Amino acid sequence: MIFETHAHYDDEKFDEDRVELLSHLLRENGIEKLVNVGASFEGCKNSLALAEEYENVYAAVGIHPEEIDEIDDEVLDWMRKTASHPKVVAIGEIGLDYYWVKDEAQRAKQREWFNRQMDLALEVELPVIIHSRDAAEDTLNTIKMYNNRHLKGIVHCYSYSKEIALEYVKMGWYIGVGGVVTFKNAKKLVETVEAIPLESIVLETDCPYMAPVPHRGERNSSIYLTLVAEKIAEIKGVSLEEVERITYENALNIYNKSKRN
Ligand SMILES: [Zn+2]
């Protein structure tokens, strides 16, 4: 039984088979629950619609750093209202992406809205899903500040060092591990998985992107998460069942509103 913590089934790449996947195919392949994560305002609304339609689908609402020009007070108000929906389990994905954005003013804008969405998460008492690329230091500093105020979350598609991962683990945050861990050049992520406890890992695809080997480059779906779980089991020297069971509990812990601390 697998908990998929990060998917984008609203993406047009699923137009052909979204209904089959979400109504039965994923379940038949062991994917028990999933969170569809909003990145744009449109994506947030579509995530909510999917969560309302399918029992095993939950939603996260947030504006991705690359889509930050879309956000304003009105969008933030919509998120605030939507957060009380019973199937909205997180604010995300939010964060910093300095890989694509070199302009300092735009980076400052990312930081401003990252903080404001973190403030919102505190206010509505939901965990966060963090997207962070080429912004290790600014992300860690922000999260430390909010962690002190008891905000928790997942660092999704984790791409930094094992040392930084251990800092997140120490704070009780979760590390999202997906298809990248199966890539030949995934040395850093393999080292991270080795270094951190299984109790701090959640499984995620980021589908339609990041398909694991041997499907690298193809459209990804949660069905391939077994390949990710197998790789983690191999790295940690435990059974596949143990990886599935513990990561499932981890996902329940972070996404369960009543267990938030
Ligand atoms: Zn994503």
Side-chain angles (χ1 to χ4, degrees), residues 117-145:
Q117 292 184 90
M118 294 285 270
D119 286 337
L120 175 67
L122 269 179
E123 183 191 325
V124 300
E125 303 192 334
L126 285 180
V128 290
I129 303 167
I130 304 292
H131 169 101
S132 176
R133 197 166 176 202
D134 278 4
E137 203 184 321
D138 283 357
T139 306
L140 182 62
N141 289 339
T142 302
I143 291 181
K144 273 184 178 161
M145 196 165 83

Side-chain angles (χ1 to χ4, degrees), residues 6-8 37 39 64 93 131 156 206 209:
H6 193 120
H8 300 284
V37 180
H64 188 287
E93 51 189 296
H131 169 101
H156 131 79
D206 205 19
Y209 310 106

Side-chain angles (χ1 to χ4, degrees), residues 47-104:
S47 295
L48 188 64
L50 290 176
E52 283 179 337
E53 191 168 352
Y54 299 99
E55 193 207 332
N56 55 335
V57 176
Y58 297 82
V61 294
I63 304 297
H64 188 287
E66 280 181 73
E67 310 286 342
I68 216 68
D69 287 335
E70 279 193 352
I71 198 170
D72 55 22
D73 288 326
E74 232 170 275
V75 171
L76 202 70
D77 265 344
W78 179 88
M79 285 166 61
R80 182 177 291 113
K81 284 191 203 97
T82 309
S84 62
H85 189 287
K87 296 203 79 181
V88 172
V89 293
I91 299 297
E93 51 189 296
I94 62 175
L96 302 171
D97 193 319
Y98 296 168
Y99 181 81
W100 294 109
V101 178
K102 308 289 178 208
D103 176 58
E104 197 37 58

Side-chain angles (χ1 to χ4, degrees), residues 178-220:
V180 174
V181 77
T182 68
F183 295 177
K184 258 201 179 121
N185 54 355
K187 199 169 154 257
K188 227 164 72 176
L189 185 57
V190 169
E191 280 175 9
T192 296
V193 170
E194 260 167 10
I196 65 176
L198 199 48
E199 285 70 18
S200 302
I201 295 174
V202 290
L203 298 179
E204 60 168 39
T205 54
D206 205 19
C207 66
Y209 310 106
M210 302 288 182
V213 173
H215 302 284
R216 191 172 179 176
E218 295 170 24
R219 188 196 73 174
N220 196 6

